[in-house]
Amino acid sequence: MKIAILPGDGIGPEIVTQAVRVLEFFRAEGEKIELDCGHLGGAAYDAEGDPFPESTQRLAQAAEAILLGAVGGPRYDTLPRAVRPEQGILGIRKALGLFANLRPAILYPELVASSTLKPEVVSGLDLLIVRELTGDIYFGQPRGRRDNAAGEAEGFDTMHYAESEIRRIARVGFEAARRRGRRLCSVDKANVLETSLFWREIVSDEAKAYPEVTLSHMYVDNAAMQLVRNPRQFDVIVTGNLFGDILSDEASMLVGSIGMLPSASLDANNKGLYEPCHGSAPDIAGRDQANPLATILSLAMMFRFSFDRQDLAARIEGAVRTALAAGRRTADIALGAEQVIGTRAMGDAVLAALKTSGDAD
Ligand code: IPM
Ligand code: MG
């Protein structure tokens, strides 16, 4: 298993370190795992003057899967857009054709009280957001600055989706729903946007190939509201790049903390980039405070999707649950009187639980 490691910026290096300990643990058990490290984002700009340099492009192409920490930080906010850290992450998604972003929001029973929503609304939540990741207004051309007809300066972007882009992400949504609760909700803004109207037509057409899945459509404003009103009505949500960005951050709070949310970004052959949904949290970087669980859970997704190793994925997820059940809490998921531990100690707890799971095999 050839894995590229891109720690990135802010808390990225600390949380990735804990995930790498998990990989090293499996390697010590005899798994053939090859790790190569590279730069992305601000770290890459600092090292090579480019947020997605050639060296990282080669590394990423050669790997079977990529583990990413997070990118960005206030130090880079004043740089020209072309070299800002976010261009690193957008660049790698585009270059590798990682069009399918899977963001599961699962509420662990141990964390029910950490959610800002009432237990009776969120307990048992298990929802998957399938976000299109290489199209939409994120990449649409033209974009930029210009003078409008009245001679006033304006900024503009372009939203568009090609039929093939909609079909392939719709299929990912239907396939996922078929293996889960068989309900797919497509989220758009078809009451206003031409792009969304087309999206809705194409998704509805794809539905013909999946008679066992119940398809519904929802406007994005309503979906944002329904997610906090009654999130368990959803099984799988499929949506575009921009709406998926926003709704997945919202969904993260349902499960207690964005520090718990992993993600997978897959190409057509299940090669993937795996990263936590949260950002680089510059305010707590380097202080051993960040929650490494979203990154560790991203590894579980890597074993599941890119390496078809359900056994290792299940062991990681089991170890995370054991650590939570034992009361191990980083600051983001701790309540009032609960004792708070650091990034490394949470890594220790997961490793200890993994060791026990190995002994039990
Ligand atoms: C995410 C992030 C990125 C995005 C940023 C960092 C470019 O918010 O992965 O959700 O908008 O896609
Ligand atoms: Mg986001």
Side-chain angles (χ1 to χ4, degrees):
M1 296 182 262
K2 207 168 153 46
I3 303 172
I5 307 284
L6 306 175
D9 310 319
I11 57 171
E14 307 162 62
I15 52 177
V16 164
T17 297
Q18 299 314 313
V20 168
R21 289 175 73 200
V22 170
L23 291 173
E24 281 165 350
F25 172 85
F26 285 141
R27 192 150 63 179
E29 281 192 341
E31 299 296 342
K32 296 212 168 23
I33 295 174
E34 201 184 303
L35 303 178
D36 276 307
C37 262
H39 296 302
L40 190 78
Y45 175 78
D46 290 338
E48 308 188 35
D50 181 346
F52 184 38
E54 276 278 326
S55 58
T56 305
Q57 294 180 30
R58 275 198 304 274
L59 190 78
Q61 295 287 359
E64 291 168 288
I66 300 156
L67 180 69
L68 170 65
V71 301
R75 283 208 296 127
Y76 310 104
D77 281 352
T78 51
L79 292 174
R81 176 166 308 279
V83 290
R84 283 181 54 164
E86 291 78 10
Q87 294 306 311
I89 192 160
L90 296 174
I92 197 170
R93 287 171 181 171
K94 195 73 176 173
L96 298 181
L98 306 172
F99 69 92
N101 184 216
L102 311 185
R103 297 189 163 183
I106 297 169
L107 180 58
Y108 289 89
E110 295 80 10
L111 293 184
V112 170
S114 301
S115 173
T116 48
L117 268 68
K118 296 192 188 88
E120 59 268 33
V121 176
V122 286
S123 70
L125 181 75
D126 178 353
L127 130 85
L128 175 66
I129 297 182
V130 176
R131 170 190 175 195
E132 200 289 328
L133 204 57
T134 52
D136 203 356
I137 196 165
Y138 265 56
F139 293 93
Q141 294 290 346
R143 61 192 291 161
R145 296 284 172 90
R146 64 187 169 198
D147 287 337
N148 67 16
E152 192 188 353
E154 66 178 13
F156 67 103
D157 297 272
T158 305
M159 177 179 273
H160 62 81
Y161 262 122
E163 183 175 338
S164 59
E165 291 178 302
I166 303 171
R167 285 199 191 278
R168 67 181 181 177
I169 196 68
R171 272 181 232 129
V172 173
F174 281 112
E175 288 293 339
R178 185 160 74 171
R179 290 189 297 270
R180 297 174 36 112
R182 297 203 290 277
R183 282 176 299 120
L184 180 66
C185 179
S186 171
V187 171
D188 61 36
K189 188 68 185 173
N191 52 345
V192 176
L193 301 174
E194 222 31 72
T195 312
S196 282
L197 198 58
F198 186 55
W199 170 284
R200 194 175 275 224
E201 274 170 38
I202 301 301
V203 173
S204 302
D205 190 53
E206 278 297 318
K208 293 177 192 151
Y210 299 91
E212 68 278 42
V213 175
T214 307
L215 172 68
S216 60
H217 301 277
M218 201 179 271
Y219 297 139
V220 63
D221 50 348
N222 186 26
M225 188 263 279
Q226 295 297 337
L227 267 177
V228 287
R229 192 185 75 90
N230 175 19
R232 284 180 308 201
Q233 71 185 278
F234 297 108
D235 176 25
V236 180
I237 288 176
V238 66
T239 188
N241 205 344
L242 179 64
F243 300 154
D245 178 46
I246 299 165
L247 294 181
S248 60
D249 260 36
E250 187 187 6
S252 73
M253 270 323 288
L254 304 175
V255 305
S257 164
I258 196 165
M260 293 299 301
L261 234 71
S263 80
S265 306
L266 306 174
D267 75 1
N269 305 308
N270 283 348
K271 172 167 173 169
L273 177 130
Y274 300 84
E275 59 177 319
C277 286
H278 60 70
S280 58
D283 51 322
I284 58 165
R287 299 207 197 145
D288 194 44
Q289 289 177 7
N291 183 350
L293 293 181
T295 313
I296 291 173
L297 289 168
S298 297
L299 272 189
M301 293 189 86
M302 178 189 291
F303 284 119
R304 177 160 293 130
F305 293 109
S306 285
F307 297 122
D308 196 21
R309 289 294 301 267
Q310 316 302 329
D311 56 332
L312 298 183
R315 278 180 68 196
I316 293 175
E317 287 159 356
V320 167
R321 293 200 56 174
T322 303
L324 292 173
R328 312 301 276 167
R329 298 283 186 278
T330 42
D332 58 311
I333 49 175
L335 290 173
E338 280 176 341
Q339 200 204 332
V340 170
I341 62 170
T343 310
R344 186 165 184 95
M346 186 59 105
D348 291 342
V350 172
L351 281 165
L354 266 181
K355 191 160 183 309
T356 323
S357 76
D359 294 346
D361 284 349

